Amino acid sequence: MSAQPSEPAVSPPTPLSAPSRRTFIATTSAAGGVIAASGLVAGQSLLGVEEATAAEASPSSRVSLTVNGKRHTITVDNRTSLLDLLREHLGLIGSKKGCNAGACGACTVLVDGRRVNSCLTLAVRLDGAEVTTVEGLAKGDELHPLQQAFIDQDAFQCGYCTPGQIVSGVGCIQEGHTGSADEIREWMSGNICRCGCYVKIVRAVEQASGRK
């Protein structure tokens, strides 16, 4: 009887050990962090490119205007308001940015003698115009009569709205709207005083107009 060949010995496969919970969390967290960081860097790069492109695409114009008797020629973004031109380009910070929507009057200036809300007025539309801000009312150390009247009548408290109130009051006087206290109140109604100094503001306008 022939001998049967013996089968080679085969070792059983080694079972794969399942990753521990700690190893799994560490691995997935690291992978997620790499993906998130890559997306963030890409997003920041994309955002920077978009901002640079937008800045290059913004149209600008040269505008020449006279402010408080001095001529200025400036290149500005076509979206620049007169208020931002005065404050950020010329350093005239007397005109205040209150609501930035034309509702409070804190930014009032005179353009060619007329009262305007400078926050709503585009600078590029004022080529050749003459602008007067609160800084341009006094003559050296001599205050404008209305500036002096505001001091005499104690017509301010916090003072934030005061530049706009004074410029608006000057316009009101020049326009001839000072026939009575009621008329002054009506034509000064676009200027808000959150401290409630309206009675004294009217008295100051009356004093400067010669009614008191």
Side-chain angles (χ1 to χ4, degrees), residues 103-205:
C104 72
C107 67
T108 304
V109 299
L110 301 178
V111 175
D112 295 331
R114 297 177 60 252
R115 292 180 283 177
V116 303
N117 291 320
S118 59
C119 71
L120 295 183
T121 306
L122 288 175
V124 293
R125 299 188 64 183
L126 299 180
D127 194 54
E130 293 192 10
V131 179
T132 302
T133 71
V134 68
E135 291 94 339
L137 295 178
K139 296 179 180 178
D141 294 332
E142 182 183 353
L143 296 177
H144 185 279
L146 186 54
Q147 290 175 309
Q148 185 61 55
F150 262 67
I151 295 173
D152 296 341
Q153 298 295 335
D154 193 23
F156 50 88
Q157 189 166 320
C158 79
Y160 194 84
C161 74
T162 303
Q165 296 278 3
I166 291 175
V167 174
S168 187
V170 170
C172 186
I173 294 170
Q174 292 177 351
E175 294 159 13
H177 298 305
T178 58
S180 66
D182 286 340
E183 185 178 14
I184 293 171
R185 277 192 289 270
E186 174 66 25
W187 288 90
M188 289 285 292
S189 61
N191 291 79
I192 296 174
C193 174
R194 292 175 174 84
C195 301
C197 297
Y198 294 111
V199 173
K200 295 180 179 181
I201 290 171
V202 171
R203 289 176 183 168
V205 175

Side-chain angles (χ1 to χ4, degrees), residues 2 31 40 43 56 59 72 75 83 88 150 155 159 174 187 189 198 202:
S2 60
L40 184 59
E56 291 174 1
H72 299 273
T75 300
L83 177 60
E88 298 177 11
F150 262 67
Q174 292 177 351
W187 288 90
S189 61
Y198 294 111
V202 171

Side-chain angles (χ1 to χ4, degrees), residues 43-94:
Q44 289 177 337
S45 302
L46 209 57
L47 184 60
V49 171
E50 289 176 353
E51 288 177 347
T53 304
E56 291 174 1
S58 298
S60 60
S61 301
R62 288 176 67 82
V63 58
S64 294
L65 67 167
T66 301
V67 181
N68 299 331
K70 185 177 180 180
R71 192 73 171 176
H72 299 273
T73 300
I74 308 170
T75 300
V76 294
D77 187 305
N78 288 352
R79 299 165 295 183
T80 302
S81 68
L82 173 58
L83 177 60
D84 286 338
L85 183 146
L86 293 171
R87 292 179 60 84
E88 298 177 11
H89 294 266
L90 300 183
L92 298 172
I93 59 175

